[in-house]
Amino acid sequence: ETGVTQTPRHLVMGMTNKKSLKCEQHLGHNAMYWYKQSAKKPLELMFVYSLEERVENNSVPSRFSPECPNSSHLFLHLHTLQPEDSALYLCASSESDRGLTNEKLFFGSGTQLSVL
Amino acid sequence: AQSVAQPEDQVNVAEGNPLTVKCTYSVSGNPYLFWYVQYPNRGLQFLLKYITGDNLVKGSYGFEAEFNKSQTSFHLKKPSALVSDSALYFCAVSFFYNTDKLIFGTGTRLQVFP
């Protein structure tokens, strides 16, 4: 167990649905991340929050909307998704360490999303 | 452009034999290099990292990696493979002082046969 919990583990949704992915970290970290993992593609960094402020948004479509209400919780709100959005969505956390040696990321087990 | 390449989609090795999973990178300046492993139905787990110093880095589960600046490589190695090492391995590189810019490779599936 890495200390990062994601729910649900699996999600099937239609293109007109609205759903949310949840991530919770119990490690006392200050930075949280959303990654998209698709088969045979590099992990794609979607969003980064550091000290509850969004610091990175890699040109992600607006149908993905992140929310970070506090340093322990991170959400990804989904609406009007497309079939090509089907993927494993991974949450991660780390110490916020700007200016210092890179710290490792701690990942959750992911949410396997299927868009029909 | 900053990038990392894992040239092999899959590596097959017999249990007890040495294993190598390859990674090459392209970054400006001095890289920070990482290996992560993903077991089935799990998130990625940190294995090891190279920041500076000794070119041979030792990590979890008996894995090690060698930083080779002239060949811009950071291959993952283990002297004796176990069936339980079968998983998806990701190389990653950062070129700045934080993980916001961690760039992952496409992953290499390691299959260890009994």
Side-chain angles (χ1 to χ4, degrees):
Chain A
E1 196 61 50
T2 63
V4 180
T5 304
Q6 288 187 245
T7 55
R9 293 296 301 272
H10 302 274
L11 179 62
V12 179
M13 58 187 291
M15 289 190 285
T16 59
N17 292 158
K18 288 185 179 180
K19 297 286 184 182
S20 296
L21 310 184
K22 179 182 176 182
C23 177
E24 184 175 359
Q25 59 97 358
H26 312 276
L27 301 168
H29 290 164
N30 292 323
M32 297 187 77
Y33 311 75
W34 280 116
Y35 280 88
K36 177 182 179 183
Q37 184 180 9
S38 303
K40 297 192 177 182
K41 289 186 178 180
L43 262 70
E44 299 174 41
L45 177 62
M46 300 175 72
F47 301 104
V48 180
Y49 277 83
S50 180
L51 298 173
E52 301 159 41
E53 289 188 18
R54 189 190 307 184
V55 296
E56 185 79 24
N57 178 351
N58 281 345
S59 302
V60 179
S62 59
R63 56 186 183 269
F64 295 92
S65 175
E67 179 189 2
C68 187
N70 55 62
S71 60
S72 298
H73 293 87
L74 184 65
F75 295 90
L76 188 62
H77 303 300
L78 316 171
H79 65 98
T80 60
L81 294 190
Q82 304 298 310
E84 60 263 29
D85 296 323
S86 298
L88 181 67
Y89 289 84
L90 292 166
C91 174
S93 71
S94 72
E95 288 290 333
S96 178
D97 61 349
R98 290 176 181 275
L100 301 177
T101 302
N102 271 297
E103 293 294 331
K104 59 186 179 184
L105 297 175
F106 290 77
F107 283 84
S109 298
T111 295
Q112 186 66 53
L113 174 66
S114 298
V115 182
L116 304 179
Chain B
Q2 326 294 340
S3 65
V4 59
Q6 294 182 246
E8 303 154 317
D9 286 342
Q10 179 153 333
V11 170
N12 299 318
V13 64
E15 188 174 29
N17 283 2
L19 69 88
T20 299
V21 182
K22 296 180 180 177
C23 172
T24 58
Y25 65 89
S26 173
V27 297
S28 302
N30 294 322
Y32 293 169
L33 294 156
F34 301 78
W35 277 101
Y36 283 80
V37 59
Q38 186 178 30
Y39 297 102
N41 302 313
R42 302 292 299 275
L44 278 70
Q45 296 179 33
F46 172 84
L47 267 183
L48 51 80
K49 67 179 179 181
Y50 170 83
I51 302 298
T52 186
D54 194 347
N55 289 344
L56 185 64
V57 179
K58 293 188 183 298
S60 307
Y61 312 121
F63 284 93
E64 58 188 27
E66 186 169 12
F67 170 62
N68 187 317
K69 189 171 184 177
S70 62
Q71 297 185 5
T72 62
S73 67
F74 190 58
H75 300 332
L76 181 70
K77 299 181 180 183
K78 186 172 182 181
S80 179
L82 300 173
V83 173
S84 57
D85 293 330
S86 299
L88 190 57
Y89 290 81
F90 289 91
C91 182
V93 62
S94 176
F95 61 97
F96 195 62
Y97 285 102
N98 61 65
T99 53
D100 291 2
K101 301 296 184 184
L102 197 60
I103 301 168
F104 284 87
T106 52
T108 297
R109 185 164 299 282
L110 174 66
Q111 189 70 49
V112 182
F113 296 94

